[in-house]
């Protein structure tokens, strides 16, 4: 009788193995990964190098010869041939609506990219040789206990964390290579789904002994995010340098997990989740202006189209309710990210509603049954959570896309009328929100949990941002802001400042503090500075906007101070250059205010742009003051306005550099800046 090998887990534990494959009984009960060596009884030659791997974890270079076509639309060959096939076979169409969410390729060895797998195995060995896996698990659990989570992978993060923590129980010389191959084999297995499947059956295909590279991708994305929100965790890091080192290593492993999965060419729901969360991690680690983050977002959008999730998901048969909701959540979050990043960077969006079926999920937790609401309907008992944030962000992003399109036709006679219609819809959207989602008072007066308070602030900021963009669209020039946009900007900045001051009492409900500061706070502060630098503009009169000038100056002072002292960003952080440039300019303005008596501030400023026919108050002392500085340096306010007006929506570093060149600020220096 031939001798049967024991699995690695039983062999290392010196326990009897019943040799069942692919998973023995002991591994089933322990929920561990079950690995059988390919040459279990072959002794390692004594002359073998200490670093050379055993034959068992070797990787073949074979690749999938049948590429996964993904979604094929109405203009493709599949749309024609599906009318020809007599049995109505839909396999050519590539719709992921059937019994699997991955391609079935018979008799093919799925080995992915050999080089990537080896790199991923080495990264895994390095990380787990440096950090304790139980400590990494504890970090994620602590982070989850604070109310935070990954927005799209939320239903699976805790289970993935538990599975990974039980996975690597024993380490020998080549453990990382053995596990890498088994993870790869699991990742190559299609995710089987039919109309009767539930969320537990779906998750079981990538947990415990079915753990895949995607499972690791979710776990290490959670580790990276936890290092951002948890400033001190003695079991893993007590200094900023150690905190950054763990973040870098876990992000790198999340990258490898994603790239290895994608190399198999079997795109599915789980890979899309990992792609999105990996993009979000890079937006934190690399910054929102990074090309790397921009490319990652493009990859996520490409996968969304390849999976066909831009189509009407409800119209596809055989999809269980929970998966339909999960796909809607993925579409809505990716759609929102596309619009917000496009506006932030001033670049064209890549997901156009004209080519997408706009769809958003319900508010409740992901479940196996429920009813599909109309896209914009809210239940009166809707609960605060990531899915509610997803719904609201997508609804606001839809309006932002329409505003962005109007910007391209700004000189159209119907532009103002269309903008008015969008404004009406924006107000109706706000009123349609459940009362418990609307922030009607100061954030500090809301007796809510940290996650809920952050959620209320984010909801209000998104609504104000839509109104802000509409008014910005209608301005002839940003150097002449009208009272309405000044009031909106004042409300935005006041809320951002309040969020900054309450940051230790808030939990990330979908967007981080830095994003709120850069995306909402900077444009608001920029418009307020432009209004305060224009002496002939009504917003200087507090009776026009209801915003006292002292309150605006106070909010600007706090905003600048918090950035300068390093409580929000530090030198070396991804968004430091943008925020420091902006706060230097704000500080120079504030210095100019405190350097002169308030009544002399307006007369000493240069005339407002485009007001050649108006009567301006002359300088009481032509030899001194900012006007004299501007004249000395040969800079006119008209030249400055023309330079600033090159890009209406550019509130990045270029805007702040131009604003710093305002004639009223040129002679003030930047010694008070954040350097």
């Amino acid at each position: 009788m031939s001798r049967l090998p024991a699995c690695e887990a039983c062999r290392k534990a010196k326990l009897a193995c019943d040799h069942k494959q692919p998973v023995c009984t002991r591994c089933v009960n322990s929920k561990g990964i079950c690995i059988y060596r390919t040459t279990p009884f072959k002794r390692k030659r004594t002359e073998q190098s200490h670093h050379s791997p055993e034959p068992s974890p070797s990787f073949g270079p074979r690749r999938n010869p049948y590429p996964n076509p993904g979604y094929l639309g109405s203009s493709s060959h599949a749309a024609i041939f599906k009318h020809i096939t007599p049995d109505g076979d839909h396999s050519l169409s590539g719709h992921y609506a059937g019994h699997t969410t991955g391609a079935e390729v018979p008799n093919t060895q799925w080995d992915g990219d050999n080089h990537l797998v080896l790199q991923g195995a080495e990264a895994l060995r390095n990380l787990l040789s440096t950090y304790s896996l139980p400590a990494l698990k504890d970090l994620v659990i602590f982070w989850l206990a604070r109310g935070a989570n990954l927005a799209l992978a939320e239903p699976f993060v805790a289970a993935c964390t538990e599975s990974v923590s039980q996975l690597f129980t024993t380490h020998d010389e080549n453990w990382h290579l053995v596990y890498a191959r088994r993870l790869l084999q699991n990742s190559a297995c299609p995710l089987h789904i039919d109309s009767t499947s539930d969320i537990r059956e779906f998750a079981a295909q990538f947990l415990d002994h079915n753990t895949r590279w995607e499972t690791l991708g979710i776990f290490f994305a959670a580790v990276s995010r936890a290092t951002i929100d948890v400033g001190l965790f003695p079991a893993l890091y007590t200094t900023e340098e150690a905190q950054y080192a763990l973040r870098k290593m876990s992000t790198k492993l999340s990258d490898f997990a994603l790239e290895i999965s994608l190399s198999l060419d079997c795109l599915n729901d789980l890979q899309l989740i990992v792609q999105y969360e990996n993009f979000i991690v890079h937006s934190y680690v690399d910054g929102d202006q990074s090309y790397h983050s921009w490319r990652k977002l493009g990859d996520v959008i490409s996968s969304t189209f390849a999976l066909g999730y831009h189509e009407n998901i409800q119209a596809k048969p055989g999809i269980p309710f929970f998966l339909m909701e999960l796909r809607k959540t993925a579409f809505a979050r990716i759609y929102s990210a596309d619009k917000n990043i496009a506006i932030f960077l001033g670049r064209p969006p890549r997901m156009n509603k004209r080519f997408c079926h706009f769809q958003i999920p319900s508010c409740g937790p992901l479940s196996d049954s429920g009813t599909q609401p109309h896209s914009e309907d809210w239940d009166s008992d809707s609960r605060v959570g990531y899915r509610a944030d997803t719904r609201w962000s997508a609804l606001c992003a839809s309006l932002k896309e329409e505003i962005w399109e109007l910007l391209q036709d700004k000189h159209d006679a119907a532009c103002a009328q269309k903008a008015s219609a969008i404004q009406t819809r924006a107000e109706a959207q706000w009123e349609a929100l459940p009362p418990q989602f609307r922030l009607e008072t100061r954030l500090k007066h809301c007796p809510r949990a940290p996650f809920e308070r952050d959620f209320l602030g984010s909801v209000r900021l998104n609504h104000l941002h839509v109104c802000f963009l509409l008014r910005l669209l209608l301005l002839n020039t940003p150097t002449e802001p009208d009272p309405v946009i000044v009031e909106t900007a004042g409300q935005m900045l006041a809320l951002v400042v309040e969020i900054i001051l309450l940051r230790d009492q808030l939990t990330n409900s979908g967007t981080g503090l830095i994003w709120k500061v850069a995306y909402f706070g900077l444009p608001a502060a920029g418009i307020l500075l432009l209004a305060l630098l224009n002496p002939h503009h009504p917003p200087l009169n507090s009776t026009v906007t209801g915003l006292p000038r002292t309150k605006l100056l106070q909010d600007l002072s706090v905003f600048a101070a918090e950035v300068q002292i390093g409580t929000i960003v530090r030198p070396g952080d991804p968004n430091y250059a943008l925020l420091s440039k902006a706060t230097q300019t704000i500080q120079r303005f504030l210095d100019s205010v405190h350097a002169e008596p308030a009544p002399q501030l307006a007369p000493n400023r240069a005339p407002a742009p485009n007001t050649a026919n108006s009567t301006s108050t002359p300088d009481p002392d032509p030899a001194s003051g900012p006007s004299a500085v501007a004249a000395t340096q040969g800079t006119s306010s008209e030249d400055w306005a023309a330079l600033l007006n090159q890009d209406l929506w550019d509130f990045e570093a270029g805007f702040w550099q131009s604003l710093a060149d305002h004639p009223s600020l040129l002679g003030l220096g930047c010694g008070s800046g954040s350097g």
Side-chain angles (χ1 to χ4, degrees):
M1 182 176 178
S2 61
R3 184 180 171 192
L4 296 176
C7 73
E8 286 296 281
C10 292
R11 184 178 72 85
K12 297 290 178 60
K14 296 184 178 181
L15 297 172
C17 180
D18 60 10
H19 314 294
K20 289 184 178 180
Q21 296 201 26
V23 185
C24 75
T25 302
R26 287 187 184 276
C27 289
V28 169
N29 294 335
S30 67
K31 297 183 179 180
I33 193 166
C34 191
I35 297 175
Y36 288 90
R37 291 183 296 169
T38 56
T39 55
F41 305 117
K42 184 175 181 180
R43 293 183 180 275
K44 186 162 55 174
R45 291 162 51 183
T46 56
E47 65 270 18
Q48 186 177 9
S49 170
H50 178 72
H51 296 288
S52 59
E54 295 179 355
S56 57
S58 61
F59 301 100
R62 295 180 60 187
R63 302 296 301 274
N64 172 24
Y66 305 108
N68 176 11
Y71 168 82
L72 298 175
S74 59
S75 63
S76 69
H77 65 281
I80 300 174
F81 275 88
K82 74 177 181 181
H83 296 292
I84 302 174
T85 52
D87 58 353
D89 180 20
H90 294 280
S91 61
L92 285 172
S93 68
H95 286 263
Y96 286 80
H99 64 287
T100 67
T101 56
E104 297 272 11
V105 181
N107 301 321
T108 301
Q109 181 181 355
W110 292 66
D111 282 318
D113 189 309
N114 180 52
H115 182 63
L116 271 176
V117 176
L118 291 173
Q119 286 184 306
E122 187 64 23
L124 183 63
R125 184 186 68 83
N126 289 338
L127 189 144
L128 295 187
S129 298
T130 306
Y131 299 100
S132 162
L133 186 56
L136 294 174
K137 172 189 173 182
D138 291 343
L139 171 63
V140 174
I141 291 176
F142 178 74
W143 179 64
L144 295 175
R146 297 176 58 178
N149 211 319
L150 303 182
L152 183 55
E154 177 188 14
F156 312 114
V157 172
C160 288
T161 300
E162 187 64 32
S163 286
V164 173
S165 68
Q166 296 179 359
L167 183 62
F168 309 105
T169 55
T170 56
H171 293 178
D172 59 13
E173 181 182 343
N174 294 308
W175 66 270
H176 57 300
L177 299 173
V178 175
Y179 278 108
R181 182 172 183 82
R182 181 53 187 269
L183 292 169
L184 183 71
Q185 292 170 345
N186 287 347
S187 291
C189 296
L191 299 175
H192 294 272
I193 295 295
D194 59 35
S195 58
T196 64
S197 300
D198 59 32
I199 190 170
R200 295 187 65 180
E201 293 171 346
F202 175 73
Q205 297 179 78
F206 54 86
L207 298 175
D208 302 328
H209 55 268
N210 292 321
T211 296
R212 308 155 71 105
W213 276 107
E214 296 97 314
T215 316
L216 266 66
I218 290 175
F219 171 67
F220 285 109
V223 172
S224 297
R225 290 284 305 279
T227 63
I228 294 169
D229 294 339
V230 180
L232 179 68
F233 200 78
L236 293 170
Y237 52 84
T238 57
T239 65
E240 290 182 13
E241 292 76 12
Q243 181 184 18
Y244 175 78
L246 174 56
R247 185 182 309 151
K248 183 179 179 180
M249 290 185 72
S250 55
T251 300
K252 181 179 180 180
L253 195 48
S254 178
D255 289 344
F256 277 125
L258 172 61
E259 295 304 322
I260 291 168
S261 304
L262 293 176
S263 74
L264 294 170
D265 196 21
C266 55
L267 193 62
N268 55 48
D269 296 281
L270 186 60
Q271 288 179 13
L272 183 66
I273 292 172
V274 178
Q275 264 193 295
Y276 173 79
E277 298 298 357
N278 183 261
F279 150 67
I280 294 297
V281 165
H282 277 279
S283 72
Y284 282 95
V285 173
D286 299 327
D288 300 298
Q289 297 173 286
S290 165
Y291 172 75
H292 196 53
S293 299
W294 174 255
R295 183 180 64 81
K296 288 275 185 181
L297 177 58
D299 290 345
V300 178
I301 294 170
S302 296
S303 295
T304 304
F305 290 148
L307 285 165
Y309 296 165
H310 61 296
E311 294 264 297
N312 187 349
I313 293 172
Q314 286 184 239
K316 298 181 181 181
I319 305 178
F321 179 81
F322 84 88
L323 190 56
M324 198 178 300
E325 284 289 289
L326 183 63
R327 291 176 178 179
K328 285 185 175 182
T329 305
F331 171 85
R333 294 207 72 87
I334 295 166
Y335 174 85
S336 300
D338 174 57
K339 302 302 163 297
N340 291 327
I341 294 294
I343 290 172
F344 179 67
L345 298 177
R347 297 172 185 167
R350 292 176 279 198
M351 291 184 77
N352 193 303
K353 280 194 297 184
R354 181 178 177 84
F355 301 101
C356 298
H357 181 84
F358 183 76
Q359 48 206 332
I360 53 180
S362 59
C363 267
L366 203 62
S367 62
D368 298 320
S369 61
T371 58
Q372 295 291 348
H374 183 270
S375 286
E376 299 187 17
D377 290 343
W378 295 87
D379 294 330
S380 58
D381 59 347
S382 294
R383 296 166 53 182
V384 170
Y386 287 108
R387 285 158 61 74
D389 173 75
T390 300
R391 280 179 60 86
W392 179 248
S393 297
L395 288 170
C396 291
S398 177
L399 296 180
K400 292 175 188 179
E401 179 180 347
E402 295 178 29
I403 299 170
W404 182 266
E405 290 179 349
L406 280 183
L407 181 65
Q408 314 310 312
D409 303 316
K410 181 175 167 52
H411 301 293
D412 189 338
C415 180
Q417 183 178 358
K418 293 177 181 177
S420 177
I422 296 174
Q423 179 70 42
T424 301
R425 288 168 52 205
E427 296 299 335
Q429 272 188 188
W430 175 257
E431 293 301 323
L433 272 173
Q436 64 269 27
F437 287 1
R438 294 200 297 267
L439 181 64
E440 306 284 5
T441 183
R442 296 285 299 276
L443 192 61
K444 67 178 182 180
H445 295 150
C446 293
R448 309 282 284 271
F451 184 97
E452 294 178 342
R453 296 173 84 185
D454 187 79
F455 172 85
L456 291 176
S458 297
V459 167
R460 180 62 178 166
L461 282 174
N462 246 320
H463 171 66
L464 289 172
H465 192 234
V466 171
C467 300
F468 177 87
L469 294 178
L470 275 169
R471 297 309 307 180
L472 189 61
L473 168 72
L474 298 176
L475 292 180
N476 292 326
T477 169
T479 60
E480 297 181 355
D482 62 24
V484 179
I485 195 173
V486 170
E487 182 172 7
T488 304
Q491 294 178 29
M492 283 175 61
L493 182 64
L495 183 51
V496 169
V497 167
E498 195 171 9
I499 289 172
I500 291 173
L501 297 176
L502 296 174
R503 59 188 176 277
D504 293 333
Q505 304 173 38
L506 303 175
T507 295
N508 186 327
S509 63
T511 55
L513 174 63
I514 298 300
W515 174 254
K516 294 182 179 75
V517 170
Y519 187 56
F520 302 114
L522 288 187
I527 286 295
L528 292 176
L529 252 66
L530 290 170
L532 291 168
L533 284 167
N534 188 343
H536 304 287
H537 202 270
L540 286 177
N541 185 345
S542 61
T543 62
V544 175
T545 64
L547 293 174
R549 185 172 182 271
T550 54
K551 178 65 168 66
L552 298 181
L553 294 175
Q554 181 185 43
D555 288 338
L556 287 170
S557 298
V558 174
F559 185 85
E562 290 288 339
V563 175
Q564 290 174 337
I565 64 178
T567 58
I568 300 176
V569 291
R570 301 175 180 86
D573 287 349
N575 289 312
Y576 177 78
L578 171 61
L579 293 177
S580 63
K581 171 59 68 176
T583 52
Q584 284 181 39
T585 304
I586 294 172
Q587 190 61 54
R588 289 172 67 184
F589 167 78
L590 295 171
D591 290 343
S592 74
V593 172
H594 298 300
E596 306 173 20
Q600 297 179 11
L601 180 63
N604 280 347
R605 292 197 189 97
N610 301 325
T611 56
N613 295 327
S614 62
T615 303
S616 59
T617 305
D619 277 338
D621 183 4
S624 64
S627 296
V629 173
T632 301
Q633 300 193 15
T635 305
S636 70
S637 59
E638 288 81 3
D639 293 339
W640 169 82
L643 176 65
L644 182 67
N645 204 32
Q646 289 177 358
D647 188 346
L648 181 63
W649 285 19
D650 178 14
F651 281 99
E652 289 193 83
F655 168 86
W656 292 100
Q657 180 60 59
S658 297
L659 189 58
D661 292 335
H662 188 281
S664 296
L665 305 179
L666 282 174
L668 296 173
C670 53
S672 301
S674 58

